[in-house]
Amino acid sequence: MKIITVDGRKQYLPKKWIATTVIFYVAIAACIAVIISATVRFCMGKIYGGDLFHDIGMGVGALAMVFLPLLMKKVFKWYIPNLLEFAMYFIIIMNMLGGEVLHLFNVQAFAGLRLYDKFMHTFNGVIFMFFGYSILGMMNNIPEKNRGLSPLFCALFALAFSMLIEYLWEIYEYTLDSISDVFNMQRWKDDLVSLLPNENGYWETYTRRGSAIVDTLTDMIVHLIGSLPIAVIGVLSMRKSGDDFILRTCVLSKKQVAYLERYNEEQAAEQKEVVALAEAASVSDVGDEEREDVN
């Protein structure tokens, strides 16, 4: 199904990519692989119960995220651009296979930074910028209401949304690390000097520096680095073509899709009417010429 915009210039709802369908099933397989891998390693005695709970929880959570776009499209009748949906599945695969199965999140490079983890946070910044623009567009319900929106305001809104998601994720990591010592999502164990029970039976930790703070702040910094280019692109694109940027690259609500479908039908009907009038006029001209020849 292809739908043109209200100004009739471009088509924004192409058919689903075959690549998107393929990567959808690959993402499902990646999540299942994480669950199986964790179970096998636990049975072999290579991980403990806490790590098993963490890996299975990550796999199940990611599996739910894989089906989220399908839920959005089938139940809520939203439209998700092919590129954005592909990127969502791609990032799930990278997190599950690269991060959880191959354990690339734990590989440290220069200055002790985990570059794979930082790359994923940077890419997350890109993805959630488009969701920020999508929410802003859907809040206006129909494309006509997007017209006149300040490009700078839209960019700032999307940037704030993207950073909010990163902030909430860091809270999630901190919460899990606070619940139990088996978690190390904020890397607080990386610079651990000793972990010994004190006289009260509690664990005391001694670190050379606050590795959790370093991990959290670098995650937020690279997330911001990934978000800023999309903000700049959004400002430049909206100044050039208005809400075309939102319609072309972002999630559209059921009302927006219905509006564009209705407009598309009206445009098609008008085009048929114009063609019919042109054909009628052509037939009339031919008839006049034939009568002139007879005379």
Side-chain angles (χ1 to χ4, degrees):
M1 178 180 60
K2 295 185 178 181
I3 298 175
I4 55 178
T5 59
V6 290
D7 53 17
R9 284 180 294 172
K10 297 182 180 179
Q11 297 175 331
Y12 292 148
L13 301 188
K15 293 182 179 179
K16 187 175 181 178
W17 292 351
I18 296 178
T20 305
T21 302
V22 172
I23 200 172
F24 169 76
Y25 290 107
V26 173
I28 293 176
C31 296
I32 295 175
V34 169
I35 297 174
I36 294 176
S37 173
T39 305
V40 171
R41 286 184 290 127
F42 176 76
C43 294
M44 296 174 62
K46 293 185 177 181
I47 61 174
Y48 298 102
D51 292 327
L52 175 67
F53 172 77
H54 170 265
D55 289 358
I56 291 181
M58 292 291 291
V60 173
L63 194 60
M65 292 298 295
V66 170
F67 287 97
L68 182 60
L70 188 64
L71 177 70
M72 294 164 65
K73 291 188 294 183
K74 297 297 184 181
V75 178
F76 298 104
K77 306 300 181 183
W78 290 359
Y79 166 74
I80 304 177
N82 283 308
L83 184 59
L84 185 57
E85 186 175 1
F86 185 92
M88 291 169 63
Y89 296 141
F90 173 78
I91 201 169
I92 290 174
I93 292 172
M94 295 292 285
N95 273 289
M96 292 296 101
L97 289 182
E100 301 300 332
V101 175
L102 301 179
H103 304 289
L104 296 180
F105 284 148
N106 298 325
V107 177
Q108 297 187 8
F110 63 92
L113 289 178
R114 297 172 298 129
L115 294 185
Y116 188 84
D117 177 62
K118 303 313 170 190
F119 165 76
M120 296 306 300
H121 276 277
T122 305
F123 193 70
N124 284 338
V126 175
I127 296 299
F128 285 110
M129 279 295 294
F130 286 107
F131 278 106
Y133 274 108
S134 299
I135 290 176
L136 184 61
M138 286 190 289
M139 287 173 63
N140 288 281
N141 291 326
I142 60 175
E144 283 186 338
K145 292 185 179 181
N146 292 332
R147 298 183 181 278
L149 289 176
S150 167
L152 182 59
F153 168 77
C154 293
L156 290 175
F157 179 92
L159 182 62
F161 174 83
S162 179
M163 295 307 298
L164 172 64
I165 297 300
E166 172 63 18
Y167 174 73
L168 293 176
W169 175 256
E170 295 301 332
I171 290 178
Y172 168 75
E173 288 188 346
Y174 172 78
T175 301
L176 288 185
D177 287 350
S178 300
I179 291 175
S180 174
D181 287 341
V182 300
F183 294 105
N184 187 33
M185 298 193 71
Q186 291 191 304
R187 320 312 302 180
W188 62 274
K189 292 182 181 178
D190 288 1
D191 287 330
L192 199 63
V193 176
S194 63
L195 184 61
L196 301 171
N198 61 18
E199 63 277 6
N200 296 321
Y202 296 101
W203 292 92
E204 291 183 349
T205 59
Y206 302 90
T207 58
R208 292 190 295 270
R209 62 188 175 91
S211 55
I213 297 177
V214 173
D215 180 76
T216 298
L217 290 179
T218 52
D219 285 349
M220 298 188 74
I221 289 171
V222 297
H223 188 100
L224 178 62
I225 291 174
S227 301
L228 286 176
I230 307 303
V232 174
I233 292 172
V235 169
L236 296 178
S237 298
M238 291 192 69
R239 285 181 177 176
K240 181 179 180 180
S241 56
D243 65 327
D244 284 0
F245 175 74
I246 293 178
L247 293 172
R248 190 169 58 244
T249 61
C250 299
V251 179
L252 302 179
S253 67
K254 180 180 178 179
K255 289 185 178 179
Q256 287 173 310
V257 173
Y259 182 87
L260 292 176
E261 286 177 335
R262 186 169 60 253
Y263 180 82
N264 189 57
E265 292 173 356
E266 293 173 354
Q267 290 294 304
E270 291 180 4
Q271 290 176 1
K272 288 182 179 180
E273 185 178 353
V274 170
V275 171
L277 291 174
E279 291 177 350
S282 175
V283 171
S284 177
D285 292 340
V286 171
D288 292 340
E289 290 178 357
E290 291 177 351
R291 282 192 294 272
E292 291 177 358
D293 292 339
V294 171
N295 295 332

